Amino acid sequence: QLQLQESGPGLAKPSETLSLMCTVSGGSISSDRYYWGWIRQPPGKGLEWIATVYYSGTTYYNPSLRSRVTISLDTSKNQVSLKVRSVTAADTAVYYCARRGITSRDAFDIWGQGTVVTVSS
Amino acid sequence: DIQMTQSPSSVSASVGDRVIITCRASQGISNWLAWYQQRPGKAPKLLISAASNLQPGVPSRFSGSGSGTDFTLTISGLQPEDFATYFCQQTNSFLSLTFGGGTKVEIK
C-alpha cells in the first residue's frame, strides 16, 4: 500500500531556502500513471497547491509561487523534493505531499501526514 | 487563474441533518471537480472526484453533483465523524489546481 512521508527542518529563518522531502514507499515515483505534488496549509487557513511533477520531469507551479519554488524527483531514492527560496513568515504552514492521476478527472488521492514548517528568526 | 468560491464558510448542523455545500468556479471546468474532507490535525482525504465519482470506502451518504461552474457536495444524514472541514478543488487545469476556501461543518 502506497505511503508518503514528508520531512523537513521544522524551523527556518527568514530569507533562507527551505528544503522538504517526501519519501514514497509501496510504489514507484517513476510510474507514468501518476503526478506528485506539494500542497500547503497555513495555520487556521485553507489549502494552497504549490507544485506538481511528472516522472518525465515535467513540472507545473502555482503562478504566485513559481519564482521561489522548485519541485523535483530523486528516482534513486524514490523521493519528491520541494525547495522554497527566500522564505518569510507567510511560508509558515503544514506542507503535504500527495499523488494524483494523470487525467483531469483525477485528484490527489493519497496524502502524506504533513510536515510543519515555521519561519521565524 | 480559475478561482473557486465555496459557501457557506461554516455551517452548524445536527446529527441526522442533510448538509449542502456549494462550490463555484470562476470559469467552466466541465465536471473536473474534487471534494476533500479534513479532520482537525489530519491530512485531507479525497471523497469525490470528477464532480460525482465517490471514492472507494467513502460512505454513500456523501454525494456530489454539478458541471460547468456550479457544484454541490451533499451529506445526507450527518454522522458524528462528518464534523470536519470540506474543500473543493478544480482539477481541470494542470497549470493551477485551485482549492476553494473551505466549509467547516460544526455541531449545532
Side-chain angles (χ1 to χ4, degrees):
Chain A
Q1 137 196 10
L2 191 79
Q3 291 187 317
L4 286 66
Q5 178 69 58
E6 304 90 342
S7 58
L11 180 65
K13 289 182 166 48
S15 79
E16 288 185 341
T17 294
L18 173 64
S19 292
L20 301 173
M21 200 65 69
C22 173
T23 301
V24 178
S25 57
S28 173
I29 64 172
S30 299
S31 168
D32 63 356
R33 295 178 59 195
Y34 301 107
Y35 284 89
W36 306 91
W38 285 93
I39 301 100
R40 71 181 183 180
Q41 186 171 35
K45 296 188 177 181
L47 300 168
E48 180 179 37
W49 168 72
I50 302 171
T52 308
V53 62
Y54 192 46
Y55 84 102
S56 64
T58 299
T59 56
Y60 301 92
Y61 292 102
N62 185 321
S64 69
L65 296 169
R66 174 189 302 273
S67 63
R68 295 196 298 124
V69 302
T70 302
I71 188 172
S72 61
L73 300 175
D74 184 336
T75 54
S76 67
K77 297 181 180 178
N78 220 35
Q79 292 177 328
V80 185
S81 73
L82 181 73
K83 293 188 185 300
V84 184
R85 295 176 290 279
S86 304
V87 297
T88 70
D91 295 308
T92 294
V94 178
Y95 285 75
Y96 296 101
C97 66
R99 180 192 84 170
R100 69 163 292 183
I102 60 174
T103 72
S104 292
R105 71 178 295 113
D106 297 310
F108 289 112
D109 62 346
I110 297 178
W111 295 62
Q113 65 186 25
T115 186
V116 177
V117 174
T118 302
V119 179
S120 174
S121 56
Chain B
D1 280 9
I2 301 174
Q3 306 301 317
M4 306 301 295
T5 304
Q6 267 182 257
S7 60
S9 57
S10 66
V11 57
S12 293
S14 301
V15 172
D17 284 354
R18 184 175 73 163
V19 171
I20 298 175
I21 298 168
T22 66
C23 184
R24 174 165 288 176
S26 59
Q27 63 189 72
I29 57 171
S30 185
N31 61 337
W32 306 137
L33 184 100
W35 290 99
Y36 299 86
Q37 175 194 65
Q38 186 179 34
R39 296 189 176 110
K42 300 296 185 182
K45 173 187 175 183
L46 179 64
L47 298 177
I48 289 170
S49 64
S52 61
N53 184 38
L54 203 66
Q55 295 300 291
V58 175
S60 59
R61 63 181 179 272
F62 291 92
S63 63
S65 65
S67 67
T69 60
D70 294 309
F71 302 86
T72 61
L73 172 69
T74 300
I75 311 172
S76 301
L78 201 63
Q79 295 300 299
E81 59 268 30
D82 301 337
F83 292 96
T85 301
Y86 295 84
F87 294 93
C88 63
Q89 182 198 26
Q90 68 85 10
T91 58
N92 179 61
S93 169
F94 277 68
L95 299 178
S96 184
L97 297 169
T98 330
F99 289 91
T103 296
K104 187 174 184 179
V105 178
E106 300 175 298
I107 301 173
K108 182 184 285 185

